[in-house]
Amino acid sequence: MPAADDGDPAEHFAIRAINDVADRGYDTILSLKFPYNQASFPAPGSPQMAAELARLDRVLPTVMGKVDIMTIGNEPFIESLPAERDQRLNAFYETVARHVIAHRREHCGAGCGTRLYMGALNRLDLPDRRTPAAERWMTFVRETPEIDGVDIHPHLPAPENAQAFLDYILPRMRAGQTFLVTEFSLVWHWKRHLEDPVAADFAQRHGFPPGTKVWQVIKAAIDEPFPQRTWRDFLTSSPWFTSQSTFLRDQMRLYRGTGRLAVATYGFKQDDLMVRNFGPDKDPWLLNSVFATYTVKPRGEGLSAPNYWLGAFKAQQRT
């Protein structure tokens, strides 16, 4: 949302891109991101809140009725000051949501093609994240008829932790509401293994010294992208990775099995933030991606190499 201050939102690359693919017949989801992790939430009725709503009034006409789903918020319990993850967070997002609802009613009408969700909740597998503010978040979702449901981001240390997300949200939604899973991964499982030594046979075959650690191999691939066979050999020689080979299939089965899933999406490509200053403390998002844009040599001009997950990802499109 702060980018709305930089010029016409219709010319922002993200809005241009999403409207372009919508025009070509693809289904689209747009999340409205409010980064308040370094500043306090504006209070309802304040000049600061008026400025935030003015940003919304510049953005909403460019996408309302064009995108299929609009998520109000991205990761509110991360994109906020820790001390303000309380009723102040709720008051802010509820004010924003009511403004979006009013805009849709006034400018898009009863048959508007854009559905509204509140998003997204993180780490509901941890008891300390199931706070009074999270409870109020779900109460607002349930009691606001214009909201179709809630978004969740199950980034997990183990696949079985995803169940806690469903156990939390499903009983707190009204009948007929659905949920989104616009991000999910095993990033916290991968991170636990960055300091592991790589398999000895992999190190020997590919010229790494004995005892080379996982993060050092990833850093080497970032610095000089590997041939696809080498990157795949690195992953498939790692039991901590191959033990999770059915993750996409199993997670989609879990979400679909509720009968309440609207849409799930998965990380498509590595980006520059994932590879910047990579080291043992870096969150290894790049291991999730369907395409290995930065760690594997491209197949040709404009053709990124597939990552390990491409086959599983394609299989889910056929399910």
Side-chain angles (χ1 to χ4, degrees), residues 175-252:
Q177 281 187 308
T178 55
F179 67 96
L180 310 175
V181 188
T182 54
E183 296 181 24
F184 66 103
S185 79
L186 280 172
V187 66
W188 309 126
H189 171 75
W190 311 141
K191 191 170 185 178
R192 289 176 177 172
H193 294 279
L194 289 182
E195 295 268 21
D196 290 2
V198 296
D201 57 344
F202 170 83
Q204 183 176 21
R205 282 196 306 273
H206 297 285
F208 289 95
T212 298
K213 296 181 177 180
V214 167
W215 75 265
Q216 293 172 316
V217 172
I218 296 173
K219 179 68 163 57
I222 292 168
D223 292 342
E224 187 171 343
F226 289 176
Q228 186 172 350
R229 181 175 296 180
T230 304
W231 179 251
R232 189 172 183 86
D233 193 16
F234 159 60
L235 296 176
T236 57
S237 67
S238 304
W240 54 268
F241 190 87
T242 56
S243 64
Q244 306 299 335
S245 62
T246 61
F247 175 71
L248 261 66
R249 183 196 69 191
D250 296 344
Q251 292 291 293
M252 290 303 301

Side-chain angles (χ1 to χ4, degrees), residues 30-44:
L30 178 70
S31 295
L32 302 177
K33 181 183 176 79
F34 299 90
Y36 276 98
N37 53 333
Q38 296 188 28
S40 290
F41 285 117

